[in-house]
Amino acid sequence: MNYNLLIVIIDIIYAYIDIGKFEETLMYKIVNREEMAHGTIVLNEIEAPQIAKKAKPGQFVILMANKKGERIPLTMANVDKEKGTITIIYMIIGKSTKLFASLKVGEGYSDVVGPLGQPTHIEKKGTVVCVGGGTGTAVLHPITKGMYETGNHVISIVGARNKDYIIMEEEMQKVSHELRICTDDGSKGRHGFVTEELRDILETQDVAEVVAIGPVPMMKFVSLLTKEFNVPTIVSLNPIMIDGTGMCGGCRVTIGGKTKFACVDGPEFDGHQVDFDGLMRRLQAYKLEEDKSSCACELEA
């Protein structure tokens, strides 16, 4: 087709279409919204049929609340292929997650890109321990489900600062042969850290693999513990990420002394090979700017 003719056709289409309504149909609408932990953690179920069709456990999406918003990567907590929806769960921390939390059912995200990253390698191995901390439990859920449905004996450990921050307890119970709860203050389950519960399991049972997802310090200490017992361990990393294609280099992490990109090589890696200290330093690189942005957002509100 002649290029100039194509331009004319596009101009005609734009002349007869209500562009505002056209763009509205492209939004990824929120069909369900729930608040947890006194409103500090939010669940969004989002219409995204093409993503839901292809998504696998361990993969993530990048979302933008609006055309001027920040690109935020979040691993999917659930996928409903029949409904054509994906579910994300996030904690309200900075400017962008506050903007996410302001979206109501019927409203939507301007952009959702995915599925991105490498899916979890799931196979029947024996006893698998799945360890989740905070909102990391949401990321852990589809992986735990996959391990369970593949025929593994699944022991899940879910930890949080107190009982109000325990999320997806019922969902995790359904896909685990055993579910153990830990809280920092002892308000529910074991009074202590997930590593203490994990040590008890490692000392008494033959564990084939551990999957740990949560705050970086938690994943670090879980990996140090499992290394003592020579148990393979998978962690899901959350470095600063921009484009999600590996071109920007923002999500680089050091694995076994080599540079990897979490968006294309991960987000899951061998926990025994991860430079967690380097990851924590990179996560703090823009804290000053993030704090200023969050303060500005509060002033605008």
Side-chain angles (χ1 to χ4, degrees):
M1 180 181 292
N2 182 278
Y3 177 76
N4 291 328
L5 178 59
L6 179 61
I7 296 298
V8 171
I9 292 173
I10 292 173
D11 287 340
I12 293 172
I13 292 172
Y14 269 72
Y16 283 93
I17 292 179
D18 183 333
I19 299 303
K21 291 183 180 179
F22 180 68
E23 288 184 344
E24 184 179 349
T25 64
L26 295 179
M27 294 187 72
Y28 295 83
K29 290 186 178 179
I30 298 170
V31 298
N32 181 39
R33 181 183 185 279
E34 299 175 18
E35 292 187 358
M36 298 167 274
H38 303 295
T40 61
I41 297 175
V42 178
L43 176 151
N44 283 165
E45 184 180 359
I46 306 165
E47 282 185 348
Q50 295 302 313
I51 296 175
K53 183 179 179 180
K54 297 184 178 181
K56 295 180 180 179
Q59 292 186 299
F60 66 96
V61 291
I62 292 180
L63 308 96
M64 290 175 61
N66 55 49
K67 293 298 181 182
K68 295 183 179 179
E70 183 181 10
R71 295 165 58 86
I72 300 294
L74 290 169
T75 303
M76 289 169 277
N78 199 20
V79 173
D80 191 320
K81 297 183 186 297
E82 292 185 4
K83 290 173 62 178
T85 63
I86 62 172
T87 297
I88 57 167
I89 297 178
Y90 57 89
M91 179 173 283
I92 303 171
I93 299 175
K95 182 177 180 178
S96 293
T97 45
K98 288 177 183 176
L99 183 57
F100 283 9
S102 71
L103 298 174
K104 305 295 189 295
V105 172
E107 298 178 337
Y109 292 83
S110 66
D111 294 281
V112 181
V113 179
L116 301 171
Q118 300 297 321
T120 308
H121 179 69
I122 296 175
E123 62 177 297
K124 187 173 181 180
K125 299 179 179 181
T127 296
V128 176
V129 181
C130 297
V131 186
T135 54
T137 302
V139 179
L140 187 69
H141 173 255
I143 299 170
T144 306
K145 182 180 179 182
M147 293 290 187
Y148 182 87
E149 292 177 346
T150 306
N152 293 289
H153 180 79
V154 178
I155 303 173
S156 294
I157 306 172
V158 173
R161 66 182 76 170
N162 62 53
K163 62 182 179 62
D164 295 328
Y165 288 85
I166 296 291
I167 65 171
M168 303 191 76
E169 181 177 353
E170 291 184 10
E171 291 86 347
M172 290 295 290
Q173 182 71 67
K174 291 177 181 177
V175 295
S176 306
H177 294 91
E178 301 176 49
L179 176 62
R180 308 187 185 191
I181 304 294
C182 299
T183 51
D184 295 354
D185 65 354
S187 55
K188 185 167 186 173
R190 179 170 185 158
H191 185 182
F193 301 133
V194 293
T195 47
E196 297 170 22
E197 190 69 31
L198 178 59
R199 179 177 286 277
D200 288 348
I201 295 171
L202 294 173
E203 288 177 343
T204 58
Q205 301 192 44
D206 183 15
V207 176
E209 184 175 69
V210 170
V211 182
I213 305 177
V216 175
M218 185 213 84
M219 293 190 291
K220 173 184 177 179
F221 286 107
V222 165
S223 298
L224 288 173
L225 175 60
T226 57
K227 193 171 185 177
E228 291 180 28
F229 292 84
N230 197 31
V231 175
T233 301
I234 300 299
V235 296
S236 182
L237 305 187
N238 59 339
I240 295 167
M241 194 177 294
I242 302 173
D243 67 354
T245 67
M247 295 184 69
C248 75
C251 68
R252 62 186 180 276
V253 290
T254 303
I255 311 295
K258 298 180 180 180
T259 298
K260 300 288 184 179
F261 299 103
C263 65
V264 290
D265 298 318
E268 296 176 2
F269 295 98
D270 179 349
H272 299 164
Q273 299 293 316
V274 175
D275 177 2
F276 286 105
D277 293 335
L279 173 59
M280 285 188 276
R281 286 194 297 271
R282 286 188 55 76
L283 287 171
Q284 294 295 315
Y286 300 101
K287 190 176 187 309
L288 179 61
E289 289 79 6
E290 290 170 356
D291 290 342
K292 287 180 179 178
S293 178
S294 183
C295 289
C297 181
E298 291 175 2
L299 290 174
E300 290 171 6

